[in-house]
Amino acid sequence: MLRFHDVGDWGSEAIQVRWAASSHVVPPEAAALIEEAWREAMERPGVKLFDGPMCRMESWAATPDRLELVLSLTSYKLFLGTNLTHPELAEQFGRQVLANPIGVSPALESADGYLLLGRRNSSLAYYPGGVHPFAGALEPRDGLDLFGAVRRELAEELSFGDADVSEIRCTGIVEDVGLRQPEVIFRVHSPLTRDQIYGQVKRDEHHEGWAIPATSEAIESAVRDPALTPVAVAALVLWGRVRLGDEWFNSLRMR
């Protein structure tokens, strides 16, 4: 379900991101499957698709003091045709066949002590109806700024302005094992209350907010809920690692 690759608590000054040549290789057999998956997705009623540019994870290196990421270009169509619908291609051709776009997903903490996620609309291409962070993907227009990408997603999905975010920290890199997609996880603190944030949820991606108290007991209960996506679980657990400690985090992982 979920793989924790590296965990930490990095601020923007500790993260370095750069471009590199792409190692993405798409054999003819894989290209045919990508085209077929895109055509089938376009034919599904109510599903909204756009083949926008995305940033592919080439590699990363992490220490307690620094996180370095190396990126190349990919697209949503390649993501849908590989990670999203045919992750098994990696078994046949190696992981270089996957689009591997970088997701950015925050655990959002409200001023009154709640952790907030959203319940996804049924029209979305993956995890429809699931509980997921107010999240998205790093895009070339973000200019290699992971923290700016988080702010952009919060603005797009919650109408957040600069004053609505008081802190952003990066807490780790994880992988949704089902999709084999790398995800960069964050913790975000807002001076807004839970109800204020609920009132700003835009309905095109999430039809309602979802919240739990920011406590160990609430997180331990929530992560057993099958409605949570793997990335949602990661966001909650990595928030807990920073606030509750490594002993709590390791114990929960073992259970």
Side-chain angles (χ1 to χ4, degrees):
M1 171 179 166
L2 178 63
R3 181 172 294 120
F4 294 90
H5 285 297
D6 280 293
V7 299
D9 187 26
W10 300 286
S12 59
E13 72 288 346
I15 296 183
Q16 179 181 352
V17 188
R18 63 179 176 89
W19 293 111
S22 177
S23 63
H24 194 199
V25 177
V26 183
E29 303 96 314
L33 288 174
I34 291 169
E35 291 297 331
E36 179 184 6
W38 185 255
R39 183 174 61 254
E40 290 178 354
M42 292 287 285
E43 292 172 353
R44 292 204 300 267
V47 173
K48 303 174 183 178
L49 293 177
F50 170 66
D51 187 20
M54 305 177 81
C55 298
R56 184 176 192 264
M57 178 75 86
E58 289 289 334
S59 65
W60 73 87
T63 69
D65 300 319
R66 192 166 185 81
L67 177 63
E68 299 179 0
L69 291 86
V70 180
L71 316 180
S72 65
L73 292 175
T74 187
S75 74
Y76 186 80
K77 180 178 179 179
L78 294 173
F79 167 55
L80 184 141
T82 59
N83 296 79
L84 190 54
T85 56
H86 292 292
E88 76 282 357
L89 287 170
E91 303 295 336
Q92 184 177 358
F93 299 109
R95 289 185 66 90
Q96 69 271 17
V97 75
L98 301 176
N100 284 347
I102 299 175
V104 291
S105 292
L108 177 58
E109 183 181 0
S110 68
D112 51 348
Y114 287 89
L115 295 172
L116 282 84
L117 306 173
R119 195 173 296 276
R120 293 169 65 82
N121 290 334
S122 59
S123 64
L124 297 177
Y126 63 108
Y127 292 126
V131 174
H132 194 70
F134 297 104
L138 182 68
E139 300 178 7
R141 61 174 167 153
D142 295 315
L144 301 180
D145 183 358
L146 293 169
F147 292 77
V150 173
R151 289 182 179 274
R152 173 179 55 75
E153 291 293 341
L154 293 174
E156 292 175 357
E157 300 186 19
L158 295 172
S159 300
F160 269 26
D162 289 343
D164 297 326
V165 176
S166 52
E167 183 182 41
I168 306 179
R169 303 279 293 184
C170 178
T171 55
I173 297 178
V174 304
E175 180 182 333
D176 180 330
V177 174
L179 303 181
R180 305 193 185 201
Q181 181 190 9
E183 195 86 18
V184 184
I185 306 297
F186 298 82
R187 58 182 179 91
V188 174
H189 188 274
S190 174
L192 301 180
T193 66
R194 176 189 63 174
D195 290 343
Q196 287 174 315
I197 295 171
Y198 272 177
Q200 297 183 190
V201 176
K202 294 185 179 180
R203 307 302 175 184
D204 30 349
E205 287 199 29
H206 298 88
H207 64 82
E208 64 181 2
W210 178 98
I212 58 170
T215 65
S216 59
E217 295 81 8
I219 295 173
E220 291 167 20
S221 176
V223 297
R224 293 193 292 267
D225 185 347
L228 268 67
T229 67
V231 168
V233 171
L236 296 178
V237 170
L238 290 181
W239 179 94
R241 175 189 170 272
V242 173
R243 294 300 180 88
L244 303 170
D246 280 320
E247 183 176 349
W248 175 88
F249 171 69
N250 292 326
S251 175
L252 184 59
R253 286 181 67 186
M254 290 295 293
R255 296 204 300 273

